[in-house]
Amino acid sequence: AECAAPNGLFEHMLASAAQREPSPDFVFLLGDAIAQAHGDDSTGTARALRAREENYAAVTSRIAKAFPSAVTSSHGLGCAVALGNNDVHTIGLNDSLASTVGLNDASRYAWQAAAVAAMCGLSDEQAASFRRGGFYARGAPGGARLAVLNTAPYNAAPQYGTPLNATLHPDPLGQFAWLEAELTHAAARRTPLLILGHMPPVLDFVDRAPIWQEAYAARYWELLGRHSKAVAGQFFGHSHKSQFRVWGGVPAEEQAPLLVMGSVSPIYGNNPGFAVVTLGEGGGGGGGGGDDGGAVVDLR
């Protein structure tokens, strides 16, 4: 509805990506597997929510089918899906459903976690972390590791859900503490950590407004500034346009790339597409795409 990639375009993207990288080592889907306007159904919120759940599962399972080598990868990364704002909040639905996305529900992301667990073969621990907080980490012993963020709690725009009070909730869902532990362990093990998420912690390139609340973005960059050598790269979506960003406060030669991937949906005049990224120095690899961003990564 006005912003989704048509099924034909989605299938063409998958076929093109599979032709370009027929056996990727892992696949990233960087959020918004379902369209912003999807599920706007005035006949009943339960029906609308069920339609969202069914479409989220359909999109993720179709991507898994397109890249079987990623799902069964021996690298321990397989595939990973970050939550997008459209995958979490009830945009277009009755406002009463907003209460279903709270900080006190231990299964707040249950249906998203179930779909991603089926797609990517998440472990019980990873699936439990996803259900509880929308974030999880995975990787092979001694190899590269993924930290998959839930960026929804940090949003600064009311259209993506009522912003949290950063003073009352300095670390929503305990995600910053979890990320610091992942960064610390990666530095100690001298293994690369890739950070995946949907909304990037930067200014929007259209209106220069913060995408994250400034207090949350400042905490994130402070964490990465202290652990910059542990980060091999950052991948985000959301903006529909392919971009790269430079960190503040970290010398350029010490920065891992921050890449914002383009979308498959053409709503804002962008070129629908996917990305193939090669990681050097013994990384891993994979493929993917999504309504608001994806990456096919080839590890050589």
Side-chain angles (χ1 to χ4, degrees), residues 82-105:
L83 284 173
N85 51 284
N86 298 334
D87 304 325
V88 175
H89 295 294
T90 54
I91 294 175
L93 301 181
N94 188 301
D95 288 341
S96 66
L97 279 181
S99 63
T100 65
V101 184
L103 294 178
N104 300 315
D105 182 358

Side-chain angles (χ1 to χ4, degrees), residues 217-241:
R219 183 162 183 180
Y220 177 83
W221 288 118
E222 189 276 330
L223 269 179
L224 263 65
R226 285 192 287 110
H227 300 280
S228 60
K229 293 182 179 179
V231 181
Q234 302 171 78
F235 299 87
F236 292 92
H238 186 64
S239 73
H240 290 243
K241 305 284 187 180

